[in-house]
Amino acid sequence: MPSKRTEHQGAYVWIWLPKATEPVVAGQLVPEGDTLLFHYGQSYLGREDAISLYTPELPLQAGGLPLLPGLSIPGCIRDGAPDAWGRRVLLNKVLGVKSKDADVGELSELACLLESGSDRIGALDFQRSPTEYVPRSLKSATLDELVQSAQRVEQGIPLTPELDSALHHGSSIGGGRPKALIEDGSKKYVAKFPSDSDTYSVVKGEYIAMRLAQLCGLDVAPVGLESSSNKDVLLIERFDRTQTDQGWHRRSVLSALTLLRLDEMMARYASYADFAEIIRHHFTNAAETLEELFGRLVFNILCSNTDDHARNHAALWDGSRLSLTPAYDICPQARTGNETGQAMKISGDNRQSRISSCLDAAHHFLLSEKNALEIIARQVLAITAYWHEICALCDLHETDRNLFWGRQFLNPFAFEDLEGNATSIKSLADEGREKNKSQVSKSA
């Protein structure tokens, strides 16, 4: 852990500029009371190829840059910090067996930035030195070792130095479930593991959702499914890394939470409608992007991904414009009843997981009711048509098929209040649900 003296000095922010394979110092993050303020270095400001970390928040100008209202650290920098799982890995490294019961809040934001792995999502890293870049956690590990390490962290058991180093490599990535970063040839992946608390195949559920989303016509990060130590492992290809003959290019990534000028304490105010407004004014290919985001909202409801919070939406930043990243976290959530709501509001204060909510919000995405209904119908038909094929690809047990189908996927609650022209969508869903249910019965 960094010493109090080191934390008082802050951290130097290093950035990979577009098309670069080596980082340069962009500036310094300095503690001021309970906040962290950023200022660009003079040498960085003097570069012809310098880009802002994110212009609406940290424009390219000299001097200390004030925080946006309500923030304690610039959002574009906070996007490079670990979330719940990464902080548990860091606690295991520092506290060992105590980490099972330790509060992740014991780690300061600055400590998390300086101690987590260097191959974090996006194009930033954090160092104690302004002149020497030393990447952390370069040790590779097998999937078996990573799966076993993740289990030990969940149980609060200290890791061996070798496994600690391997799992620490992925400590900078977000989310609350066990995961790690791996490299395989010319590709890099986020590997997601099952949790000890899982009561059904969560990993296969996410694989199925991601594959079906792609078959529905959405832009989705490629996924694969592996088996290691008798555990399923989901591999999600990273879109922020590209290998070249000279090395790896890194792309800047900003969460929707940052684009909406919110932090975790204010995340409940995030909405698809507000995100759509930002897309209209600041994204490349705005019309196509709005339709893509609407499609993702619809699919989240159709597959019961209610964990669609604003950190699970993101954009690539090239220094002047934004573009939506491929979808990377579509995981059906357990349902104890029919009625449920999305993590992110849809429009106004409505977050109900209903297709009617999507139709009411369609104008925010510059879509007519006719266009919106076509998108929804296409997804319902695709989910119905490809369900058994994708389940067979991942060898999903019949018990889990019955659990997912008609509950997580195409839950009746999503269609109950449809009226007028939209009743045709309910009919499609009812027919598809019954068709696949009868197929399951025949094969059982």
Side-chain angles (χ1 to χ4, degrees), residues 166-185:
L167 196 62
H168 181 246
H169 181 53
S171 61
S172 54
I173 50 181
R177 289 184 58 82
K179 58 179 66 68
L181 297 175
I182 65 172
E183 181 179 331
D184 183 14

Side-chain angles (χ1 to χ4, degrees), residues 72-374:
S72 60
I73 178 176
C76 59
I77 291 178
R78 173 60 179 83
D79 283 338
D83 285 335
W85 172 253
R87 294 176 190 232
R88 287 187 68 181
V89 174
L90 293 177
L91 279 171
N92 186 284
K93 177 181 175 68
V94 176
L95 302 177
V97 70
K98 298 179 184 178
S99 67
K100 183 177 181 181
D101 302 313
D103 180 2
V104 294
E106 293 181 32
L107 295 170
S108 72
E109 206 66 57
L110 200 55
C112 289
L113 293 172
L114 285 168
E115 293 297 321
S116 52
S118 290
D119 196 16
R120 64 192 72 242
I121 302 300
L124 301 181
D125 194 22
F126 308 92
Q127 299 277 310
R128 296 177 178 84
S129 169
T131 57
E132 183 183 13
Y133 179 76
V134 181
R136 294 178 294 279
S137 304
L138 290 177
K139 178 178 171 55
S140 61
T142 66
L143 274 181
D144 282 348
E145 290 173 325
L146 290 170
V147 168
Q148 293 162 17
S149 299
Q151 289 178 305
R152 290 170 72 93
V153 167
E154 281 205 295
Q155 296 162 9
I157 302 172
L159 300 175
T160 65
E162 293 77 20
L163 292 182
D164 177 84
S165 177
L167 196 62
H168 181 246
H169 181 53
S171 61
S172 54
I173 50 181
R177 289 184 58 82
K179 58 179 66 68
L181 297 175
I182 65 172
E183 181 179 331
D184 183 14
S186 62
K187 303 290 185 182
K188 292 195 176 189
Y189 300 90
V190 174
K192 290 189 173 182
F193 312 124
S195 169
D196 287 345
S197 61
D198 289 346
T199 57
Y200 61 92
S201 185
V202 175
V203 169
K204 285 185 177 179
E206 184 167 1
Y207 171 83
I208 291 167
M210 294 282 281
R211 289 296 307 272
L212 287 175
Q214 187 270 329
L215 290 166
C216 286
L218 298 176
D219 180 20
V220 181
V223 295
L225 194 66
E226 300 287 342
S227 179
S228 181
S229 296
N230 295 316
K231 302 284 187 178
D232 296 315
V233 181
L234 179 68
L235 300 180
I236 304 173
E237 187 176 323
R238 293 180 63 175
F239 46 76
D240 63 333
R241 296 290 186 270
T242 304
Q243 190 183 51
T244 69
D245 291 340
Q246 291 74 41
W248 290 94
H249 289 163
R250 302 192 181 195
R251 304 179 73 184
S252 294
V253 178
L254 301 169
S255 70
L257 199 64
T258 290
L259 304 184
L260 292 164
R261 303 187 174 199
L262 302 172
D263 68 4
E264 274 72 17
M265 299 301 293
M266 300 184 284
R268 64 186 181 278
Y269 300 116
S271 77
Y272 281 92
D274 290 341
F275 191 19
E277 178 75 15
I278 293 171
I279 289 172
R280 286 202 296 273
H281 295 289
H282 302 290
F283 275 59
T284 58
N285 304 316
E288 295 90 338
T289 303
L290 287 168
E291 182 172 328
E292 172 72 20
L293 182 63
F294 180 80
R296 294 184 192 185
L297 165 60
V298 169
F299 189 81
N300 283 337
I301 289 174
L302 295 181
C303 78
S304 297
N305 175 31
T306 53
D307 191 36
D308 57 339
H309 56 78
R311 283 208 182 279
N312 281 341
H313 299 276
L316 297 166
W317 167 250
D318 66 4
S320 60
R321 299 289 288 178
L322 296 158
S323 57
L324 198 64
T325 70
Y328 54 87
D329 197 322
I330 308 176
C331 186
Q333 303 296 302
R335 296 176 74 139
T336 55
N338 281 337
E339 186 169 353
T340 190
Q342 299 304 118
M344 198 156 84
K345 294 191 292 185
I346 297 170
S347 63
D349 287 325
N350 178 23
R351 63 176 80 241
Q352 279 202 315
S353 304
R354 291 187 182 274
I355 293 301
S356 61
S357 302
C358 302
L359 293 172
D360 290 342
H363 64 282
H364 291 290
F365 303 86
L366 305 183
L367 294 171
S368 66
E369 180 185 66
K370 179 175 181 292
N371 294 148
L373 286 172
E374 289 173 351

